[in-house]
Amino acid sequence: MKNNMILSCLACFFLMLTACEKANIDVDTSEADGSAIGEVSGVWSKGSVQHIKGDIIIPEGKTLTIEEGVTVLMDTENKPEIVVLGNLYALGTDDNPIRFTVEEQYKTKTNEFGKLWGGILAAPSCQELVLDHTVLEYGGAITSDASTSVKMGLYKKVSGEALPALWFSNVDGKLVVQNSTISHFHEDCTYIEGGKIIFANNSFFSNGVTGGEAMNFKSGSIADVAYNLVYSVNTNALKLSNSGDKTPQAYIMVYNNTMLNTGWRRPTAKGGSIWIEASVRVEIYNNLFANTRFGVKRDPKKPEDNRSIFSNNWYFGQDQLTVDQFQVGKNDIVAGSNDVRGKLAGENNPKFVTYPLETSVNNYVFDSAWDFNLQGNSPALKSGTLSFKPHFITGLVMSNGLTYNSPAPAVYAGAFGTKF
């Protein structure tokens, strides 16, 4: 009798073990609502709620499509990572965005800089990744030796690193991030090591407790970065670099972005607005810097490619300290042709519709009621240039049949013109 009981228990144990192994290697959560751990592919249906209990992997050669209105809830105990070996398409809409988030009870002051889940990590085998009308928030967990990303040699390949919201690393791949929001991450929002890339019409705020960029591009990246709002990121709104020894040379076009309060919470040489280095080739036009630390700043020891172009950028400082530190000739600030760069506090007010320009430059708490459109009498409305052509103005064509175009430049400075 005792032996029969032992055999029965062993049978149950192996049955449970087999079930667990299957759940970890072959999960297709295409039903309305579901939970996932292990390998996933297929479709997460419109409006569903997907509970991510542990690390998930989209296998190489497979695709996960997330339809509009899906909520992806991360387990705050297990702090899941999303590893993309295949393709990922998150296709939200303005009325029904996709959300990678946590339960409301965890969105507290204590957790304002995330670390409650990992991030989206796209390996070199990932050919295409799209985040459209997608919200990513409260992530950036610290890796350990047990992390899937560390075991697979992804991102920085070591433990003790705060994960970005998004890491992408295929120089031959295609990456589109548009109409999306990244907030409440511990350090970097994005860390991009190659690809054909469009970043457009996104918002970044409340990110970076001690460091981190909103958009960080390395060698191998051919990118258009346009119409993004970056508010009070800890270090730089953009870090543009050709480091990494990948081909092609990083060539980044940055135009019509609005940056506010960036860099002040990281008062070091690299804390600023746009940092350029290591032979990166850049073209930077029509951007609006309001109360930011510095402006476009180079690494004097590893400067940018000499074919780089800087033109028609707008600078505003509410106080004299802010104005003084973005003057050309100081702090390795880069001069641009036709820039608007006053020398007195309050000069060249861009006239936002509602944002109070006296807001402390150290403020990182974002108010959704702020309106960064320009008033009808704003002097910044006609300060831009149209004399350049973005890389992907004619479009990036995806294997799922969708085409994404870089937006055309506008004649105003910043990401937002008038409302009407």
mmCIF file with all atom_site columns, all heavy atoms in Angstrom, residues 366-389:
data_model
loop_
_atom_site.group_PDB
_atom_site.id
_atom_site.type_symbol
_atom_site.label_atom_id
_atom_site.label_alt_id
_atom_site.label_comp_id
_atom_site.label_asym_id
_atom_site.label_entity_id
_atom_site.label_seq_id
_atom_site.pdbx_PDB_ins_code
_atom_site.Cartn_x
_atom_site.Cartn_y
_atom_site.Cartn_z
_atom_site.occupancy
_atom_site.B_iso_or_equiv
_atom_site.pdbx_formal_charge
_atom_site.auth_seq_id
_atom_site.auth_comp_id
_atom_site.auth_asym_id
_atom_site.auth_atom_id
_atom_site.pdbx_PDB_model_num
ATOM 1   N N   . PHE A 1 366 ? 4.490  65.093 -14.295 1.00 0.00 ? 366 PHE A N   1
ATOM 2   C CA  . PHE A 1 366 ? 3.840  65.570 -15.511 1.00 0.00 ? 366 PHE A CA  1
ATOM 3   C C   . PHE A 1 366 ? 2.352  65.789 -15.282 1.00 0.00 ? 366 PHE A C   1
ATOM 4   O O   . PHE A 1 366 ? 1.678  64.967 -14.666 1.00 0.00 ? 366 PHE A O   1
ATOM 5   C CB  . PHE A 1 366 ? 4.049  64.561 -16.640 1.00 0.00 ? 366 PHE A CB  1
ATOM 6   C CG  . PHE A 1 366 ? 3.658  65.062 -17.992 1.00 0.00 ? 366 PHE A CG  1
ATOM 7   C CD1 . PHE A 1 366 ? 4.495  65.895 -18.704 1.00 0.00 ? 366 PHE A CD1 1
ATOM 8   C CD2 . PHE A 1 366 ? 2.444  64.685 -18.560 1.00 0.00 ? 366 PHE A CD2 1
ATOM 9   C CE1 . PHE A 1 366 ? 4.146  66.359 -19.973 1.00 0.00 ? 366 PHE A CE1 1
ATOM 10  C CE2 . PHE A 1 366 ? 2.085  65.135 -19.815 1.00 0.00 ? 366 PHE A CE2 1
ATOM 11  C CZ  . PHE A 1 366 ? 2.936  65.979 -20.525 1.00 0.00 ? 366 PHE A CZ  1
ATOM 12  N N   . ASP A 1 367 ? 1.853  66.897 -15.787 1.00 0.00 ? 367 ASP A N   1
ATOM 13  C CA  . ASP A 1 367 ? 0.437  67.236 -15.688 1.00 0.00 ? 367 ASP A CA  1
ATOM 14  C C   . ASP A 1 367 ? -0.187 67.081 -17.075 1.00 0.00 ? 367 ASP A C   1
ATOM 15  O O   . ASP A 1 367 ? 0.180  67.797 -18.012 1.00 0.00 ? 367 ASP A O   1
ATOM 16  C CB  . ASP A 1 367 ? 0.277  68.673 -15.189 1.00 0.00 ? 367 ASP A CB  1
ATOM 17  C CG  . ASP A 1 367 ? -1.170 69.043 -14.899 1.00 0.00 ? 367 ASP A CG  1
ATOM 18  O OD1 . ASP A 1 367 ? -2.083 68.381 -15.432 1.00 0.00 ? 367 ASP A OD1 1
ATOM 19  O OD2 . ASP A 1 367 ? -1.393 70.019 -14.154 1.00 0.00 ? 367 ASP A OD2 1
ATOM 20  N N   . SER A 1 368 ? -1.102 66.156 -17.218 1.00 0.00 ? 368 SER A N   1
ATOM 21  C CA  . SER A 1 368 ? -1.700 65.883 -18.528 1.00 0.00 ? 368 SER A CA  1
ATOM 22  C C   . SER A 1 368 ? -2.536 67.048 -19.037 1.00 0.00 ? 368 SER A C   1
ATOM 23  O O   . SER A 1 368 ? -2.907 67.080 -20.220 1.00 0.00 ? 368 SER A O   1
ATOM 24  C CB  . SER A 1 368 ? -2.567 64.614 -18.459 1.00 0.00 ? 368 SER A CB  1
ATOM 25  O OG  . SER A 1 368 ? -3.607 64.773 -17.503 1.00 0.00 ? 368 SER A OG  1
ATOM 26  N N   . ALA A 1 369 ? -2.834 68.016 -18.172 1.00 0.00 ? 369 ALA A N   1
ATOM 27  C CA  . ALA A 1 369 ? -3.604 69.190 -18.599 1.00 0.00 ? 369 ALA A CA  1
ATOM 28  C C   . ALA A 1 369 ? -2.743 70.224 -19.323 1.00 0.00 ? 369 ALA A C   1
ATOM 29  O O   . ALA A 1 369 ? -3.269 71.136 -19.954 1.00 0.00 ? 369 ALA A O   1
ATOM 30  C CB  . ALA A 1 369 ? -4.290 69.830 -17.392 1.00 0.00 ? 369 ALA A CB  1
ATOM 31  N N   . TRP A 1 370 ? -1.422 70.097 -19.214 1.00 0.00 ? 370 TRP A N   1
ATOM 32  C CA  . TRP A 1 370 ? -0.552 71.039 -19.918 1.00 0.00 ? 370 TRP A CA  1
ATOM 33  C C   . TRP A 1 370 ? -0.761 70.910 -21.425 1.00 0.00 ? 370 TRP A C   1
ATOM 34  O O   . TRP A 1 370 ? -0.972 69.808 -21.950 1.00 0.00 ? 370 TRP A O   1
ATOM 35  C CB  . TRP A 1 370 ? 0.917  70.763 -19.593 1.00 0.00 ? 370 TRP A CB  1
ATOM 36  C CG  . TRP A 1 370 ? 1.295  71.135 -18.193 1.00 0.00 ? 370 TRP A CG  1
ATOM 37  C CD1 . TRP A 1 370 ? 0.720  72.058 -17.382 1.00 0.00 ? 370 TRP A CD1 1
ATOM 38  C CD2 . TRP A 1 370 ? 2.375  70.559 -17.434 1.00 0.00 ? 370 TRP A CD2 1
ATOM 39  N NE1 . TRP A 1 370 ? 1.356  72.114 -16.164 1.00 0.00 ? 370 TRP A NE1 1
ATOM 40  C CE2 . TRP A 1 370 ? 2.381  71.201 -16.167 1.00 0.00 ? 370 TRP A CE2 1
ATOM 41  C CE3 . TRP A 1 370 ? 3.328  69.583 -17.698 1.00 0.00 ? 370 TRP A CE3 1
ATOM 42  C CZ2 . TRP A 1 370 ? 3.305  70.897 -15.177 1.00 0.00 ? 370 TRP A CZ2 1
ATOM 43  C CZ3 . TRP A 1 370 ? 4.246  69.265 -16.715 1.00 0.00 ? 370 TRP A CZ3 1
ATOM 44  C CH2 . TRP A 1 370 ? 4.233  69.921 -15.465 1.00 0.00 ? 370 TRP A CH2 1
ATOM 45  N N   . ASP A 1 371 ? -0.657 72.034 -22.110 1.00 0.00 ? 371 ASP A N   1
ATOM 46  C CA  . ASP A 1 371 ? -0.848 72.061 -23.559 1.00 0.00 ? 371 ASP A CA  1
ATOM 47  C C   . ASP A 1 371 ? 0.361  72.745 -24.190 1.00 0.00 ? 371 ASP A C   1
ATOM 48  O O   . ASP A 1 371 ? 0.577  73.948 -24.006 1.00 0.00 ? 371 ASP A O   1
ATOM 49  C CB  . ASP A 1 371 ? -2.140 72.828 -23.892 1.00 0.00 ? 371 ASP A CB  1
ATOM 50  C CG  . ASP A 1 371 ? -2.509 72.745 -25.357 1.00 0.00 ? 371 ASP A CG  1
ATOM 51  O OD1 . ASP A 1 371 ? -1.620 72.490 -26.188 1.00 0.00 ? 371 ASP A OD1 1
ATOM 52  O OD2 . ASP A 1 371 ? -3.698 72.963 -25.685 1.00 0.00 ? 371 ASP A OD2 1
ATOM 53  N N   . PHE A 1 372 ? 1.147  71.977 -24.931 1.00 0.00 ? 372 PHE A N   1
ATOM 54  C CA  . PHE A 1 372 ? 2.380  72.495 -25.511 1.00 0.00 ? 372 PHE A CA  1
ATOM 55  C C   . PHE A 1 372 ? 2.220  72.947 -26.960 1.00 0.00 ? 372 PHE A C   1
ATOM 56  O O   . PHE A 1 372 ? 3.206  73.205 -27.642 1.00 0.00 ? 372 PHE A O   1
ATOM 57  C CB  . PHE A 1 372 ? 3.487  71.447 -25.394 1.00 0.00 ? 372 PHE A CB  1
ATOM 58  C CG  . PHE A 1 372 ? 3.839  71.134 -23.966 1.00 0.00 ? 372 PHE A CG  1
ATOM 59  C CD1 . PHE A 1 372 ? 3.378  69.974 -23.358 1.00 0.00 ? 372 PHE A CD1 1
ATOM 60  C CD2 . PHE A 1 372 ? 4.597  72.015 -23.217 1.00 0.00 ? 372 PHE A CD2 1
ATOM 61  C CE1 . PHE A 1 372 ? 3.681  69.692 -22.039 1.00 0.00 ? 372 PHE A CE1 1
ATOM 62  C CE2 . PHE A 1 372 ? 4.912  71.744 -21.894 1.00 0.00 ? 372 PHE A CE2 1
ATOM 63  C CZ  . PHE A 1 372 ? 4.451  70.583 -21.302 1.00 0.00 ? 372 PHE A CZ  1
ATOM 64  N N   . ASN A 1 373 ? 0.981  73.047 -27.401 1.00 0.00 ? 373 ASN A N   1
ATOM 65  C CA  . ASN A 1 373 ? 0.744  73.725 -28.661 1.00 0.00 ? 373 ASN A CA  1
ATOM 66  C C   . ASN A 1 373 ? 1.166  75.187 -28.539 1.00 0.00 ? 373 ASN A C   1
ATOM 67  O O   . ASN A 1 373 ? 1.242  75.741 -27.432 1.00 0.00 ? 373 ASN A O   1
ATOM 68  C CB  . ASN A 1 373 ? -0.727 73.658 -29.052 1.00 0.00 ? 373 ASN A CB  1
ATOM 69  C CG  . ASN A 1 373 ? -1.116 72.293 -29.586 1.00 0.00 ? 373 ASN A CG  1
ATOM 70  O OD1 . ASN A 1 373 ? -1.648 71.463 -28.862 1.00 0.00 ? 373 ASN A OD1 1
ATOM 71  N ND2 . ASN A 1 373 ? -0.854 72.065 -30.854 1.00 0.00 ? 373 ASN A ND2 1
ATOM 72  N N   . LEU A 1 374 ? 1.429  75.813 -29.662 1.00 0.00 ? 374 LEU A N   1
ATOM 73  C CA  . LEU A 1 374 ? 1.837  77.211 -29.666 1.00 0.00 ? 374 LEU A CA  1
ATOM 74  C C   . LEU A 1 374 ? 0.628  78.118 -29.869 1.00 0.00 ? 374 LEU A C   1
ATOM 75  O O   . LEU A 1 374 ? -0.275 77.791 -30.651 1.00 0.00 ? 374 LEU A O   1
ATOM 76  C CB  . LEU A 1 374 ? 2.862  77.453 -30.774 1.00 0.00 ? 374 LEU A CB  1
ATOM 77  C CG  . LEU A 1 374 ? 4.126  76.583 -30.731 1.00 0.00 ? 374 LEU A CG  1
ATOM 78  C CD1 . LEU A 1 374 ? 5.021  76.895 -31.930 1.00 0.00 ? 374 LEU A CD1 1
ATOM 79  C CD2 . LEU A 1 374 ? 4.880  76.781 -29.427 1.00 0.00 ? 374 LEU A CD2 1
ATOM 80  N N   . GLN A 1 375 ? 0.628  79.225 -29.153 1.00 0.00 ? 375 GLN A N   1
ATOM 81  C CA  . GLN A 1 375 ? -0.422 80.214 -29.351 1.00 0.00 ? 375 GLN A CA  1
ATOM 82  C C   . GLN A 1 375 ? -0.308 80.815 -30.758 1.00 0.00 ? 375 GLN A C   1
ATOM 83  O O   . GLN A 1 375 ? 0.753  80.781 -31.384 1.00 0.00 ? 375 GLN A O   1
ATOM 84  C CB  . GLN A 1 375 ? -0.320 81.314 -28.299 1.00 0.00 ? 375 GLN A CB  1
ATOM 85  C CG  . GLN A 1 375 ? -0.503 80.823 -26.871 1.00 0.00 ? 375 GLN A CG  1
ATOM 86  C CD  . GLN A 1 375 ? -0.301 81.923 -25.853 1.00 0.00 ? 375 GLN A CD  1
ATOM 87  O OE1 . GLN A 1 375 ? -0.599 83.088 -26.119 1.00 0.00 ? 375 GLN A OE1 1
ATOM 88  N NE2 . GLN A 1 375 ? 0.198  81.558 -24.677 1.00 0.00 ? 375 GLN A NE2 1
ATOM 89  N N   . GLY A 1 376 ? -1.396 81.370 -31.227 1.00 0.00 ? 376 GLY A N   1
ATOM 90  C CA  . GLY A 1 376 ? -1.431 81.908 -32.584 1.00 0.00 ? 376 GLY A CA  1
ATOM 91  C C   . GLY A 1 376 ? -0.453 83.030 -32.848 1.00 0.00 ? 376 GLY A C   1
ATOM 92  O O   . GLY A 1 376 ? -0.090 83.288 -34.001 1.00 0.00 ? 376 GLY A O   1
ATOM 93  N N   . ASN A 1 377 ? -0.004 83.702 -31.778 1.00 0.00 ? 377 ASN A N   1
ATOM 94  C CA  . ASN A 1 377 ? 0.961  84.795 -31.933 1.00 0.00 ? 377 ASN A CA  1
ATOM 95  C C   . ASN A 1 377 ? 2.373  84.391 -31.525 1.00 0.00 ? 377 ASN A C   1
ATOM 96  O O   . ASN A 1 377 ? 3.230  85.244 -31.296 1.00 0.00 ? 377 ASN A O   1
ATOM 97  C CB  . ASN A 1 377 ? 0.523  86.012 -31.131 1.00 0.00 ? 377 ASN A CB  1
ATOM 98  C CG  . ASN A 1 377 ? 0.449  85.723 -29.634 1.00 0.00 ? 377 ASN A CG  1
ATOM 99  O OD1 . ASN A 1 377 ? 0.486  84.566 -29.215 1.00 0.00 ? 377 ASN A OD1 1
ATOM 100 N ND2 . ASN A 1 377 ? 0.331  86.777 -28.825 1.00 0.00 ? 377 ASN A ND2 1
ATOM 101 N N   . SER A 1 378 ? 2.631  83.087 -31.456 1.00 0.00 ? 378 SER A N   1
ATOM 102 C CA  . SER A 1 378 ? 3.966  82.625 -31.072 1.00 0.00 ? 378 SER A CA  1
ATOM 103 C C   . SER A 1 378 ? 4.997  82.981 -32.136 1.00 0.00 ? 378 SER A C   1
ATOM 104 O O   . SER A 1 378 ? 4.787  82.708 -33.335 1.00 0.00 ? 378 SER A O   1
ATOM 105 C CB  . SER A 1 378 ? 3.970  81.107 -30.873 1.00 0.00 ? 378 SER A CB  1
ATOM 106 O OG  . SER A 1 378 ? 5.289  80.615 -30.753 1.00 0.00 ? 378 SER A OG  1
ATOM 107 N N   . PRO A 1 379 ? 6.134  83.536 -31.726 1.00 0.00 ? 379 PRO A N   1
ATOM 108 C CA  . PRO A 1 379 ? 7.180  83.841 -32.704 1.00 0.00 ? 379 PRO A CA  1
ATOM 109 C C   . PRO A 1 379 ? 7.861  82.591 -33.247 1.00 0.00 ? 379 PRO A C   1
ATOM 110 O O   . PRO A 1 379 ? 8.610  82.670 -34.227 1.00 0.00 ? 379 PRO A O   1
ATOM 111 C CB  . PRO A 1 379 ? 8.165  84.696 -31.900 1.00 0.00 ? 379 PRO A CB  1
ATOM 112 C CG  . PRO A 1 379 ? 7.972  84.262 -30.480 1.00 0.00 ? 379 PRO A CG  1
ATOM 113 C CD  . PRO A 1 379 ? 6.501  83.956 -30.357 1.00 0.00 ? 379 PRO A CD  1
ATOM 114 N N   . ALA A 1 380 ? 7.610  81.438 -32.622 1.00 0.00 ? 380 ALA A N   1
ATOM 115 C CA  . ALA A 1 380 ? 8.241  80.198 -33.069 1.00 0.00 ? 380 ALA A CA  1
ATOM 116 C C   . ALA A 1 380 ? 7.495  79.522 -34.214 1.00 0.00 ? 380 ALA A C   1
ATOM 117 O O   . ALA A 1 380 ? 7.971  78.522 -34.763 1.00 0.00 ? 380 ALA A O   1
ATOM 118 C CB  . ALA A 1 380 ? 8.351  79.220 -31.891 1.00 0.00 ? 380 ALA A CB  1
ATOM 119 N N   . LEU A 1 381 ? 6.350  80.071 -34.600 1.00 0.00 ? 381 LEU A N   1
ATOM 120 C CA  . LEU A 1 381 ? 5.515  79.409 -35.598 1.00 0.00 ? 381 LEU A CA  1
ATOM 121 C C   . LEU A 1 381 ? 6.131  79.385 -36.993 1.00 0.00 ? 381 LEU A C   1
ATOM 122 O O   . LEU A 1 381 ? 5.793  78.520 -37.801 1.00 0.00 ? 381 LEU A O   1
ATOM 123 C CB  . LEU A 1 381 ? 4.136  80.071 -35.661 1.00 0.00 ? 381 LEU A CB  1
ATOM 124 C CG  . LEU A 1 381 ? 3.169  79.685 -34.539 1.00 0.00 ? 381 LEU A CG  1
ATOM 125 C CD1 . LEU A 1 381 ? 1.918  80.550 -34.595 1.00 0.00 ? 381 LEU A CD1 1
ATOM 126 C CD2 . LEU A 1 381 ? 2.792  78.205 -34.634 1.00 0.00 ? 381 LEU A CD2 1
ATOM 127 N N   . LYS A 1 382 ? 7.015  80.320 -37.274 1.00 0.00 ? 382 LYS A N   1
ATOM 128 C CA  . LYS A 1 382 ? 7.592  80.383 -38.625 1.00 0.00 ? 382 LYS A CA  1
ATOM 129 C C   . LYS A 1 382 ? 9.117  80.360 -38.580 1.00 0.00 ? 382 LYS A C   1
ATOM 130 O O   . LYS A 1 382 ? 9.774  80.884 -39.477 1.00 0.00 ? 382 LYS A O   1
ATOM 131 C CB  . LYS A 1 382 ? 7.091  81.626 -39.353 1.00 0.00 ? 382 LYS A CB  1
ATOM 132 C CG  . LYS A 1 382 ? 5.582  81.629 -39.593 1.00 0.00 ? 382 LYS A CG  1
ATOM 133 C CD  . LYS A 1 382 ? 5.137  82.871 -40.356 1.00 0.00 ? 382 LYS A CD  1
ATOM 134 C CE  . LYS A 1 382 ? 3.634  82.854 -40.610 1.00 0.00 ? 382 LYS A CE  1
ATOM 135 N NZ  . LYS A 1 382 ? 3.188  84.056 -41.357 1.00 0.00 ? 382 LYS A NZ  1
ATOM 136 N N   . SER A 1 383 ? 9.664  79.727 -37.590 1.00 0.00 ? 383 SER A N   1
ATOM 137 C CA  . SER A 1 383 ? 11.121 79.757 -37.405 1.00 0.00 ? 383 SER A CA  1
ATOM 138 C C   . SER A 1 383 ? 11.842 78.554 -37.985 1.00 0.00 ? 383 SER A C   1
ATOM 139 O O   . SER A 1 383 ? 13.064 78.514 -38.013 1.00 0.00 ? 383 SER A O   1
ATOM 140 C CB  . SER A 1 383 ? 11.445 79.849 -35.903 1.00 0.00 ? 383 SER A CB  1
ATOM 141 O OG  . SER A 1 383 ? 11.045 78.654 -35.250 1.00 0.00 ? 383 SER A OG  1
ATOM 142 N N   . GLY A 1 384 ? 11.096 77.564 -38.457 1.00 0.00 ? 384 GLY A N   1
ATOM 143 C CA  . GLY A 1 384 ? 11.706 76.326 -38.912 1.00 0.00 ? 384 GLY A CA  1
ATOM 144 C C   . GLY A 1 384 ? 12.117 76.355 -40.373 1.00 0.00 ? 384 GLY A C   1
ATOM 145 O O   . GLY A 1 384 ? 11.917 77.336 -41.096 1.00 0.00 ? 384 GLY A O   1
ATOM 146 N N   . THR A 1 385 ? 12.708 75.245 -40.795 1.00 0.00 ? 385 THR A N   1
ATOM 147 C CA  . THR A 1 385 ? 13.119 75.075 -42.183 1.00 0.00 ? 385 THR A CA  1
ATOM 148 C C   . THR A 1 385 ? 12.543 73.773 -42.730 1.00 0.00 ? 385 THR A C   1
ATOM 149 O O   . THR A 1 385 ? 12.371 72.800 -41.993 1.00 0.00 ? 385 THR A O   1
ATOM 150 C CB  . THR A 1 385 ? 14.651 75.064 -42.327 1.00 0.00 ? 385 THR A CB  1
ATOM 151 O OG1 . THR A 1 385 ? 15.000 74.856 -43.692 1.00 0.00 ? 385 THR A OG1 1
ATOM 152 C CG2 . THR A 1 385 ? 15.291 73.961 -41.489 1.00 0.00 ? 385 THR A CG2 1
ATOM 153 N N   . LEU A 1 386 ? 12.285 73.756 -44.019 1.00 0.00 ? 386 LEU A N   1
ATOM 154 C CA  . LEU A 1 386 ? 11.792 72.554 -44.699 1.00 0.00 ? 386 LEU A CA  1
ATOM 155 C C   . LEU A 1 386 ? 12.827 72.003 -45.671 1.00 0.00 ? 386 LEU A C   1
ATOM 156 O O   . LEU A 1 386 ? 12.521 71.110 -46.462 1.00 0.00 ? 386 LEU A O   1
ATOM 157 C CB  . LEU A 1 386 ? 10.494 72.876 -45.464 1.00 0.00 ? 386 LEU A CB  1
ATOM 158 C CG  . LEU A 1 386 ? 9.361  73.514 -44.658 1.00 0.00 ? 386 LEU A CG  1
ATOM 159 C CD1 . LEU A 1 386 ? 8.174  73.791 -45.566 1.00 0.00 ? 386 LEU A CD1 1
ATOM 160 C CD2 . LEU A 1 386 ? 8.944  72.633 -43.494 1.00 0.00 ? 386 LEU A CD2 1
ATOM 161 N N   . SER A 1 387 ? 14.044 72.504 -45.582 1.00 0.00 ? 387 SER A N   1
ATOM 162 C CA  . SER A 1 387 ? 15.058 72.206 -46.587 1.00 0.00 ? 387 SER A CA  1
ATOM 163 C C   . SER A 1 387 ? 15.854 70.936 -46.294 1.00 0.00 ? 387 SER A C   1
ATOM 164 O O   . SER A 1 387 ? 17.081 70.914 -46.367 1.00 0.00 ? 387 SER A O   1
ATOM 165 C CB  . SER A 1 387 ? 16.021 73.383 -46.715 1.00 0.00 ? 387 SER A CB  1
ATOM 166 O OG  . SER A 1 387 ? 16.697 73.594 -45.485 1.00 0.00 ? 387 SER A OG  1
ATOM 167 N N   . PHE A 1 388 ? 15.161 69.864 -45.925 1.00 0.00 ? 388 PHE A N   1
ATOM 168 C CA  . PHE A 1 388 ? 15.816 68.567 -45.710 1.00 0.00 ? 388 PHE A CA  1
ATOM 169 C C   . PHE A 1 388 ? 14.794 67.469 -45.927 1.00 0.00 ? 388 PHE A C   1
ATOM 170 O O   . PHE A 1 388 ? 13.580 67.704 -45.880 1.00 0.00 ? 388 PHE A O   1
ATOM 171 C CB  . PHE A 1 388 ? 16.431 68.472 -44.309 1.00 0.00 ? 388 PHE A CB  1
ATOM 172 C CG  . PHE A 1 388 ? 15.430 68.578 -43.195 1.00 0.00 ? 388 PHE A CG  1
ATOM 173 C CD1 . PHE A 1 388 ? 14.908 67.442 -42.589 1.00 0.00 ? 388 PHE A CD1 1
ATOM 174 C CD2 . PHE A 1 388 ? 15.005 69.811 -42.734 1.00 0.00 ? 388 PHE A CD2 1
ATOM 175 C CE1 . PHE A 1 388 ? 13.981 67.534 -41.559 1.00 0.00 ? 388 PHE A CE1 1
ATOM 176 C CE2 . PHE A 1 388 ? 14.083 69.923 -41.692 1.00 0.00 ? 388 PHE A CE2 1
ATOM 177 C CZ  . PHE A 1 388 ? 13.574 68.781 -41.119 1.00 0.00 ? 388 PHE A CZ  1
ATOM 178 N N   . LYS A 1 389 ? 15.273 66.274 -46.155 1.00 0.00 ? 389 LYS A N   1
ATOM 179 C CA  . LYS A 1 389 ? 14.408 65.134 -46.425 1.00 0.00 ? 389 LYS A CA  1
ATOM 180 C C   . LYS A 1 389 ? 14.712 64.012 -45.443 1.00 0.00 ? 389 LYS A C   1
ATOM 181 O O   . LYS A 1 389 ? 15.818 63.475 -45.435 1.00 0.00 ? 389 LYS A O   1
ATOM 182 C CB  . LYS A 1 389 ? 14.610 64.637 -47.863 1.00 0.00 ? 389 LYS A CB  1
ATOM 183 C CG  . LYS A 1 389 ? 13.707 63.479 -48.247 1.00 0.00 ? 389 LYS A CG  1
ATOM 184 C CD  . LYS A 1 389 ? 13.979 63.036 -49.679 1.00 0.00 ? 389 LYS A CD  1
ATOM 185 C CE  . LYS A 1 389 ? 13.098 61.858 -50.075 1.00 0.00 ? 389 LYS A CE  1
ATOM 186 N NZ  . LYS A 1 389 ? 13.387 61.402 -51.458 1.00 0.00 ? 389 LYS A NZ  1
#
